[in-house]
Amino acid sequence: MASKFLRTANRISVLRNGPKCISISVRKNGQWTQEGIIKSPFASVDIPNCTVYDYVWQNLDKWPEKTMAVCARTGRGYTYEQAFNLSNSFAANLRKKFKIRDGDTVMIMLPNIPDYPLIMMGVFEAGGVISTINPVYTAHEVQRQLLMSDAKVIVTLPEKVEIVRQAFKIAKINIPIIVVKTNGDAAPEGTAVFNELSEDIHVDKSCLKEVRVTANDVCFLPYSSGTTGLPKGVELTNRNIVANCEQMNEPLIRCNNDTTANHQDVAIAILPFFHIYAATVIAFHKISQGLKIVTIDMFQPDTFIQALEKFKVNLLYLAPPLVMMMANHPLGTAKTYQYLENVICGAAPLAPSDGEKFLSKFQQKIRFGQGYGLTETSPVVALSHKTLNNSDKVGYAIPNTELRIVDENLKNLGPNQMGELLIKGPQVMKGYRENPEANASSLINGGWFRTGDLSIADDQGIIKICDRQKELIKVKGFQVPPAELEAVLREHPAVLDAAVIGIPHDTKGETPKAFVAFRPGQSANVKDLCDFVADKVAPYKRIDDISILDSIPRSAAGKILRKELRSK
């Protein structure tokens, strides 16, 4: 077995033998400095100087026969040994057959299937940069990210090929399409098949020796929406993601147990891999720790809850709508939740009442806490420690991370004062791709990242997220930028101007509500306007409520007065 992984073992032996600067001690005197900076209470960790690829596979020879990923619905999956070998062949074919070179972008447009981590690892080994996209996106949305990311190849499902080709027509491009076959159906004509590329035992892997990717190179390019603009490419380096994985290994915040010959933790991937939350926290980090990942390719509450019991899932990462669903679903019982030990909620603040209702479902004591992060921070910034029994607060800054809470003039505030949260640490992005204006406003004073989120920290530096300064609408944990929907509405021939805000919703958390002003002499039916938008955006972005105004309220500078709209 060792000989199969010799090349990888040699490349990453330094990771195993290097110093580990991890401590379970917490400073006793609080974390605020005299200057108003909040320090992490945890000892700093040493960040390996390596790529995500090498980091993820560093302990491969300890658990080659254990399951790495399995589909909850079909049972189809891979062991760690299979995953490594298949991704290795895929990487070689990306360079040989598709001419992927260091720094080239490969777009992944897939649901959560067991092949997803293999594809990501293959792209990394080939020297490529991953850009992920929601598989429910329309051709209009796909073409925009294809152009912005300058993707050279796209990986998707056979049933999504028609949408991809429509996107090609809009963007006036034509790049190779690789499809992942999850059943016996034939692949669409003119596409390559991932299954064949990964199982190609004859591919010449010597081309992988040409890869010259370093820790400081960009490896992941997710798209995140800004305060009011369209999605921006977030450049995350290997060091950013490796640092975040190491930061999560701090014993007082770590969520998983060691993988041994007799034990393997099980995490379920209900959060989408196309989002940085699941990509880093569930895929990259948990694979490096040898966990079994149960993938959910299509969300159905019954299937999800039954899978928790069937696969004996003990580690679960959620967003608030999922917490509420689990608290209220008739199948959500002490029996179906009996194996859960660690549950972390992120993506948006969770109401304490929802957390209490969720915990009432359990007979056993579990660790239940919140995490906070952003796409721009790889993503984790703060995480509840094991002894924090308050689901209303997030927790301490993770190792190597500093925080500031500032007023509107960027002056530091003190304990229990609410202001905008700023972050500094090795997990903070390199920057937004080809967007110097956004970088100048978001990354200030030597690397402090402005989150746009309102926060409070107590005397000990434990933070609570209060609200968002950003105008993003969070629908079931997904980001919906108002500007995107406003742009679509303005494409309608009868619409002169449009504005969109988020309003509370019982099951979605928030939902978009639109306001439109018509062109002189023009009008349109509200249902027709909703249908017009629905044809151009993903289902979770759809608008169900539109109010007609004579004009959209704007400031002298032209900014939409959303506060005035909310008062309506």
Side-chain angles (χ1 to χ4, degrees), residues 251-256 342 367 384-389:
L252 275 182
I253 60 174
R254 187 181 181 208
C255 295
N256 61 283
N342 289 279
R367 173 191 176 186
S384 63
H385 46 283
K386 294 178 180 180
T387 57
L388 179 63
N389 297 312

Side-chain angles (χ1 to χ4, degrees), residues 147-449:
L147 290 174
M148 293 174 70
S149 66
D150 190 24
K152 306 300 183 186
V153 176
I154 184 168
V155 185
T156 190
L157 294 178
E159 55 264 37
K160 298 294 180 181
V161 168
E162 184 55 36
I163 291 174
V164 170
R165 285 179 170 156
Q166 289 174 16
F168 287 176
K169 289 181 181 179
I170 299 171
K172 296 181 174 59
I173 62 172
N174 187 25
I175 62 174
I177 302 173
I178 299 173
V179 296
V180 183
K181 292 176 62 176
T182 58
N183 52 43
D185 294 344
E189 185 177 352
T191 64
V193 179
F194 165 75
N195 313 68
E196 296 172 0
L197 296 169
S198 60
E199 294 170 10
D200 182 3
I201 61 175
H202 301 295
V203 64
D204 181 7
K205 297 179 182 178
S206 64
C207 62
L208 297 175
K209 297 177 182 178
E210 302 167 2
V211 176
R212 294 290 184 272
V213 175
T214 71
N216 293 321
D217 288 325
V218 174
C219 67
F220 206 94
L221 186 66
Y223 276 75
S224 176
S225 303
T227 52
T228 56
L230 292 171
K232 301 186 290 290
V234 177
E235 293 187 318
L236 299 176
T237 66
N238 284 285
R239 178 179 168 79
N240 290 151
I241 294 175
V242 168
N244 211 219
C245 290
E246 280 294 287
Q247 289 166 317
M248 285 185 278
N249 284 336
E250 158 60 44
L252 275 182
I253 60 174
R254 187 181 181 208
C255 295
N256 61 283
N257 301 298
D258 289 336
T259 300
T260 66
N262 301 315
H263 177 80
Q264 184 183 29
D265 278 356
V266 183
I268 197 164
I270 184 63
L271 300 173
F273 286 138
F274 63 75
H275 192 279
I276 192 64
Y277 182 177
T280 295
V281 176
I282 301 177
F284 304 141
H285 181 255
K286 298 307 178 289
I287 294 173
S288 76
Q289 299 285 304
L291 274 69
K292 177 191 291 185
I293 299 172
V294 180
T295 61
I296 302 281
D297 60 349
M298 56 180 75
F299 177 64
Q300 296 173 325
D302 292 9
T303 303
F304 165 64
I305 291 177
Q306 290 166 351
L308 295 175
E309 182 179 14
K310 177 182 177 181
F311 290 93
K312 299 182 179 180
V313 175
N314 66 324
L315 175 56
L316 185 58
Y317 292 95
L318 300 172
L322 286 168
V323 173
M324 290 183 277
M325 183 277 292
M326 290 179 67
N328 294 300
H329 198 281
L331 286 180
T333 65
K335 181 176 183 294
T336 51
Y337 299 159
Q338 64 180 302
Y339 298 106
L340 288 172
E341 299 172 355
N342 289 279
V343 179
I344 300 295
C345 182
L350 178 71
S353 58
D354 292 326
E356 291 169 7
K357 189 172 183 180
F358 174 73
L359 287 172
S360 70
K361 292 281 186 173
F362 293 84
Q363 289 182 347
Q364 76 275 21
K365 182 176 175 60
I366 71 165
R367 173 191 176 186
F368 179 61
Q370 290 198 53
Y372 170 74
L374 308 99
T375 305
E376 291 88 345
T377 56
S378 304
V380 185
V381 172
L383 187 61
S384 63
H385 46 283
K386 294 178 180 180
T387 57
L388 179 63
N389 297 312
N390 185 344
S391 61
D392 188 34
K393 295 185 177 182
V394 176
Y396 293 117
I398 61 176
N400 304 53
T401 303
E402 296 178 330
L403 308 176
R404 290 164 58 197
I405 295 176
V406 301
D407 63 16
E408 58 186 10
N409 297 314
L410 299 180
K411 299 297 184 182
N412 289 354
L413 299 174
N416 303 308
Q417 292 182 293
M418 185 169 67
E420 182 184 359
L421 182 66
L422 274 60
I423 301 163
K424 191 173 188 180
Q427 72 271 48
V428 174
M429 66 174 178
K430 178 181 180 181
Y432 295 115
R433 173 162 289 193
E434 298 176 353
N435 199 330
E437 183 179 347
N439 288 332
S441 62
S442 298
L443 293 166
I444 63 170
N445 301 335
W448 286 95
F449 174 67

Side-chain angles (χ1 to χ4, degrees), residues 29-58:
N29 299 321
Q31 285 72 55
W32 289 86
T33 69
Q34 289 185 342
E35 295 78 20
I37 294 174
I38 307 169
K39 299 279 190 177
S40 172
F42 308 114
S44 295
V45 298
D46 184 54
I47 303 169
N49 183 32
C50 68
T51 64
V52 175
Y53 174 84
D54 286 341
Y55 183 86
V56 167
W57 292 130
Q58 63 180 302

Side-chain angles (χ1 to χ4, degrees), residues 538-565:
Y540 68 86
K541 297 181 185 177
R542 291 175 182 171
I543 298 171
D544 298 316
D545 186 15
I546 298 179
S547 294
I548 310 301
L549 303 178
D550 291 332
S551 64
I552 301 299
R554 292 179 179 271
S555 69
K559 292 185 178 181
I560 296 172
L561 300 176
R562 300 183 194 276
K563 184 176 180 180
E564 185 174 327
L565 290 173

Side-chain angles (χ1 to χ4, degrees), residues 67-143:
T67 299
M68 187 192 80
V70 58
C71 175
R73 186 171 53 85
T74 66
R76 187 176 67 87
Y78 303 97
T79 66
Y80 273 83
E81 179 182 8
Q82 291 169 334
F84 174 81
N85 290 329
L86 292 169
S87 65
N88 193 246
S89 296
F90 179 56
N93 271 316
L94 283 175
R95 288 192 74 95
K96 294 289 286 186
K97 295 183 178 179
F98 299 93
K99 307 304 179 185
I100 293 298
R101 295 296 178 261
D102 296 357
D104 284 348
T105 301
V106 176
M107 184 176 289
I108 303 176
M109 183 180 172
L110 293 169
N112 284 12
I113 55 177
D115 317 78
Y116 209 125
L118 280 67
I119 293 164
M120 292 196 289
M121 289 299 103
V123 173
F124 285 154
E125 187 175 15
V129 174
I130 293 170
S131 187
T132 54
I133 190 166
N134 192 331
V136 305
Y137 270 10
T138 65
H140 182 81
E141 294 164 311
V142 174
Q143 64 87 22

